[in-house]
Amino acid sequence: MLLSFFVMAALTTAVSAAEPPSHLEMVRTAIETHIIPHIDALKTAAEALPPVVETVCKSGSPEARHALEKKFADAVTAYAAVDFLRFGPMLEKGRREQISFWPDPRGFVSRQLRMILVNKDEKLAEPGMLAKQSAAVQGLPALEALMHDKDVPLGPTDPAHFRCIMAKAIVQNIVRLTSEVAEGWEKPGGWKDKMLNPGSENDTYKSAAESAVEIVKAFLVGLSLTGDLQLKPQVDSKIKLTPPYQRSGLQKQFYTASITSLHELYNALRLEAYLKPDMAWMKGWSQGTWRTIESIDGAGGRAPGAQRKDTPTAREVFDRMNGLRNIVANRLSTAAGLTVGFNELDGD
């Protein structure tokens, strides 16, 4: 009897695990297991920046510079994991561009930062003043430019005095922005509550399906951004686009963090659970696609721990990404009863 009980319990659990989630369950899982943890990780990484900038500006030692580079890399990779969440608190007030103004094909960061360094207006260090400037000088790319200024490196020297003032103002601004994003998601009545409580009185989401569509669209945006901005320039020589955080050598880390986060979100959404038996081939195809996407380092090389025996080309990975977002937008979402309408991301 006892054995039969455990067998039945195991079978019930297996059946339950195989059942597709409701739209609300899909949203709750994505928010609580993926979005909020990554938003919190970005906030934590940002809060580690002011102390190391302060130390560099006081000592200028190699150890201090190394610590700053490490904390900067942590912040960049934490940001890469949420870059595609371009709705809600990240979208409001242009916070995403202020945190990470990239891509920057016209060189706004360098040009506008250069003007500030020439003018040396120390009022920019006052609370709230930097937030009134261009988004290009408010976040991680501007900090990176100051960190890698070979002519006047950050440190205790007189020439670096105003640069340190700017670096300190920038990291405090990044802390403010990431804290606002986290609070916007997690406060009572914030974006998490808005998405989990759709209805006629909700000014953004009238149904759980609308909330789910928002997150699926964010996933599709992530695939589009990674493919078009990081891989397509490697496929098409006519596209001139500087890789993300190239000065710091973080192109590979940015790609890996982006893809890892997207894969985690894909798993959290559990769209494949809605597939009918005759569509089961998509599960195997998507698994192979993720293996392919995760087998490169995003900079033309092989990823550590790659599961494929060969190293796929950037062209193959780019095409696979296009195929995956088409399947998610037009097949998996449809099977889940979600109307995404993302044909504009078909790629080429």
Side-chain angles (χ1 to χ4, degrees):
M1 292 290 292
L2 185 60
L3 178 61
S4 298
F5 171 80
F6 282 118
V7 170
M8 289 300 296
L11 290 173
T12 301
T13 301
V15 171
S16 177
E19 291 177 354
S22 68
H23 293 154
L24 191 61
E25 290 171 340
M26 185 187 301
V27 173
R28 186 183 303 280
T29 300
I31 291 176
E32 294 182 350
T33 69
H34 183 79
I35 294 175
I36 296 297
H38 279 294
I39 292 292
D40 287 345
L42 174 60
K43 178 176 178 288
T44 299
E47 291 171 343
L49 290 172
V52 288
V53 169
E54 184 72 32
T55 301
V56 166
C57 288
K58 283 183 177 179
S59 72
S61 68
E63 294 80 10
R65 297 185 191 283
H66 177 74
L68 173 55
E69 290 170 0
K70 174 64 170 62
K71 296 302 182 183
F72 181 78
D74 290 344
V76 168
T77 53
Y79 170 76
V82 300
D83 174 59
F84 55 88
L85 298 176
R86 300 188 175 193
F87 64 93
M90 192 72 84
L91 177 66
E92 293 170 341
K93 299 182 180 181
R95 292 189 183 102
R96 187 203 65 78
E97 291 85 354
Q98 293 169 49
I99 296 171
S100 181
F101 194 87
W102 182 84
D104 181 23
R106 298 185 180 182
F108 285 130
V109 172
S110 297
R111 283 192 285 158
Q112 296 184 20
L113 185 59
R114 190 180 307 118
M115 292 176 59
I116 288 176
L117 294 177
V118 168
N119 293 329
K120 294 184 178 179
D121 182 3
E122 295 193 7
K123 290 183 179 179
L124 290 177
E126 297 176 3
M129 292 301 293
L130 188 61
K132 298 178 181 179
Q133 303 300 307
S134 164
V137 298
Q138 291 192 40
L140 293 167
L143 176 60
E144 181 186 42
L146 291 173
M147 288 169 55
H148 295 277
D149 188 335
K150 296 180 179 179
D151 294 329
V152 188
L154 295 177
T157 63
D158 287 340
H161 175 70
F162 183 71
R163 282 169 167 76
C164 275
I165 288 176
M166 279 302 300
K168 293 174 186 179
I170 289 170
V171 292
Q172 290 295 346
N173 193 59
I174 295 171
V175 170
R176 174 187 65 81
L177 290 165
T178 55
S179 296
E180 288 178 358
V181 171
E183 182 183 10
W185 269 101
E186 299 173 46
K187 68 182 180 181
W191 213 262
K192 174 183 175 180
D193 286 351
K194 185 186 289 284
M195 297 194 82
L196 292 178
N197 295 281
S200 59
E201 297 183 1
N202 189 315
D203 60 358
T204 307
Y205 306 108
K206 302 303 180 184
S207 68
E210 291 186 9
S211 297
V213 164
E214 185 83 272
I215 297 177
V216 172
K217 281 187 175 182
F219 170 81
L220 294 170
V221 165
L223 285 179
S224 178
L225 292 171
T226 304
D228 292 345
L229 300 182
Q230 296 187 59
L231 293 181
K232 199 169 184 180
Q234 300 175 44
V235 174
D236 187 348
S237 60
K238 296 178 182 178
I239 299 176
K240 306 298 181 183
L241 186 64
T242 302
Y245 298 96
Q246 186 179 43
R247 290 178 179 176
S248 301
L250 296 175
Q251 179 184 1
K252 295 178 182 179
Q253 290 91 323
F254 198 97
Y255 176 86
T256 299
S258 300
I259 291 303
T260 299
S261 181
L262 286 168
H263 197 172
E264 290 172 355
L265 182 56
Y266 180 84
N267 290 339
L269 289 169
R270 291 189 60 219
L271 290 170
E272 292 180 2
Y274 285 91
L275 291 175
K276 303 297 184 185
D278 62 330
M279 305 291 281
W281 63 267
M282 289 186 189
K283 295 180 182 180
W285 184 90
S286 68
Q287 290 173 1
T289 292
W290 284 115
R291 282 195 296 272
T292 297
I293 292 173
E294 294 169 342
S295 289
I296 65 169
D297 61 10
R302 183 174 178 81
Q307 294 184 28
R308 274 185 46 157
K309 294 182 179 179
D310 62 326
T311 302
T313 64
R315 175 83 248 184
E316 181 185 355
V317 176
F318 179 73
D319 289 343
R320 281 278 198 162
M321 283 186 181
N322 282 335
L324 181 58
R325 63 187 177 180
N326 282 332
I327 279 184
V328 171
N330 301 315
R331 306 294 286 275
L332 294 178
S333 294
T334 299
L338 303 174
T339 304
V340 176
F342 238 59
N343 290 330
E344 66 269 25
L345 291 181
D346 281 349
D348 56 27

